[in-house]
Structure formats: C-alpha cells, structure tokens
Amino acid sequence: MSNVGVLGSINVDTTLHVDRIPQPGETIHVQSKSSAGGGKGANQAVSAIRNGAKVKFIGSVGKDADGVMMRDLLKAEGIDIECVLEDEKNSTGTATILLDEEGQNSILVYPGSNDSIRKSDIDEMKEELETLDILIAQFETPKEATLEAFKIAKENEVITILNPAPASEIASELLAVTDVIAPNETEAEVLTGIKVESVEDMHKVASYFHEKGVSVVLITLGSRGVFLSSKDTEKIIPAFKVKPVDTTAAGDTFIGSMASKLKVDLSNIEEAIVYGQQASSIAVQKPGAIPSIPKEDEVTRIYNL
C-alpha cells in the first residue's frame, strides 16, 4: 500500500446545470443546482484512498460550516487530516461549476483559506512529509508552499507529482524537484508556449520539461488518452471510450488513482496510467466531483481486473 500525501485545495462545489455555457453578456436559465465536496486536492486525495492508498492531506479550511463539513468528509473517507489547518481569517474555498448537457464544464474558483498555506506551515510538517512514498500537489494552493514541500520530499526520496492546474508560470526551482508532471493540453501550452496539435508537439513539450529536470511527463488528452514520455518510452496510452455525464473530477480521479498504484521507482508507470484512466472513465459517467470517484472494487469489477 502506497503512503500518499496530497498538498492541495479543499473546496465546496456548487454545480449549476445548464443547456450550454453562456456567451459573454448572455443570461441563460439554470435547470438545477447541486452542491458537493471538491477542490483538486480533496478530489485527488479521495481518489487515492478509494483506490488502495494510505493518504495524508495537507491543506487549510476556514472556521466555518463548510470547513467542518469538508474535514468530516475527508475523515470519513479514512484520510489523515492532522495537517489540515484552520484559517482564522478566510472562509473555506468554493467553486462554482457551469455544467452543460454534453458533460463539459466551466469553473470559477474562490480560493479562500486555500491561499493561506505558507512555507512556515510546511516546515512545521517536515516529519510528516518524511514518512511519505509519494507527494502530489496542484496550483490551487501557494507555490511557495509546494516548493518547500517538494524540497523536503526530495531530500527524503519521496516521489513528487505536480498537476500544474490551473496553469501559471512554474519556477525552474520547482521543476527541478518534480519527478512527474501531468498537465492537460491547454495547460501544457500555457506553461511552455507550445500548442499541442500533434505527437511532435507533445514531444517538444516533454523535452522542455525533461530539460528542466522532470523525469516523467504526462500530457492528458481527454478522450484520446495520455501521452507518456520518460527515459524508457514515449507513447500515447489510449483512453477507454465512454459517454461522459460530468467531466468535473476526471483529471483528479486519474491523478489520485494512478498514484495509488505507482511504485516508488516508477517502474510500473504505464500500468498505473492505465488504471488511472479506468477509474477516470467511471468517474465521468456520474455527476459531481467527489461523489463520482469510484472505489477500487468498482474499477476491478467493471474492467475485470
């Protein structure tokens, strides 16, 4: 069983179900509204633990009802929340999701307490980080905290996985302590300036990150699968074809479930990617973020593993 840490966001998601995403200046009718736990960090942590990992969460919530709800939700999943801080000043993060009839979404995120995690907080958690096998982070919490956590991780031979979303400039110092980076096509373009339209473009993106010190590059391609580039191989691993209902937590489900199966020497990266895609293919067929994430027994049953 992998010991996975997740440094990341905790949000309460409100989903507005619409026929289509509105154009600028346009007012449209909302068919229905629903709320559930979310945030990229929380989604990835839940995906990892539901698929067999032991999980420790590092994050922050407000001292409000949403914060209590999210702490209780994570704890009920079996996630260690000793490193989830309570922010005295800011409310718990929220996300408003516009979800159309094709299962595609647009998301507005209010970071709230997610923005309050500091380098000093991470330093106080050093002993907790040293016990991990794998550490995952995204960009919905401050980068200075991620950099400090990844530095501690690398000093202790912990595998680091960076999901650079939402995409913004990455310091070379952070890439130098990143083992696996996993942007989607849009994020890859924002980060490298290379528009991903062909396999050759994917190779150029991968080369950019390899030159910065990243060992494994994964570019998630939605329904086409995942492009993998490492010292041993470079290929597209095809996705499993399904009809999506809600793609909100697709990438997070992939990251968390893949990490749950990943060996610390990365020797089974292809097998872990395939498992992550299987879990993600199930998640997109259900509404919501955390409610859609499958457990290991469901993945095993559906794909006869």
Side-chain angles (χ1 to χ4, degrees), residues 5-13 37-46 56-62 70-71 73-74 79 83-85 91-95 107 109-117 136-142 145-146 163 165-166 252 289-290:
V6 179
L7 166 59
S9 55
I10 300 173
N11 293 332
V12 174
D13 293 347
K40 294 189 71 62
N43 295 342
Q44 291 173 12
V46 169
K56 182 184 298 294
F57 199 95
I58 302 156
S60 180
V61 295
M70 290 305 298
R71 285 175 64 90
L73 185 156
L74 295 172
I79 295 168
C83 293
V84 175
L85 308 173
S91 59
T92 301
T94 60
I107 304 175
V109 176
Y110 164 68
S113 57
N114 292 310
D115 262 355
S116 68
I117 304 170
I136 304 170
Q138 324 81 35
F139 280 169
E140 289 187 340
T141 48
T146 299
N163 176 213
D252 298 331
I290 286 176

Side-chain angles (χ1 to χ4, degrees), residues 45-63:
V46 169
S47 180
I49 201 164
R50 286 184 182 176
N51 287 280
K54 181 180 178 182
V55 177
K56 182 184 298 294
F57 199 95
I58 302 156
S60 180
V61 295
K63 297 195 75 172

Side-chain angles (χ1 to χ4, degrees), residues 35 54 62-63 96 115-116 150 183-184 195 215 221 227 240 248 252 267 277 284 289 299:
S35 295
K54 181 180 178 182
K63 297 195 75 172
T96 301
D115 262 355
S116 68
F150 274 26
N184 63 24
K195 189 172 182 62
S215 298
L221 307 170
F227 176 80
F240 295 85
T248 301
D252 298 331
S267 61
Q277 289 178 308
V284 299
V299 181

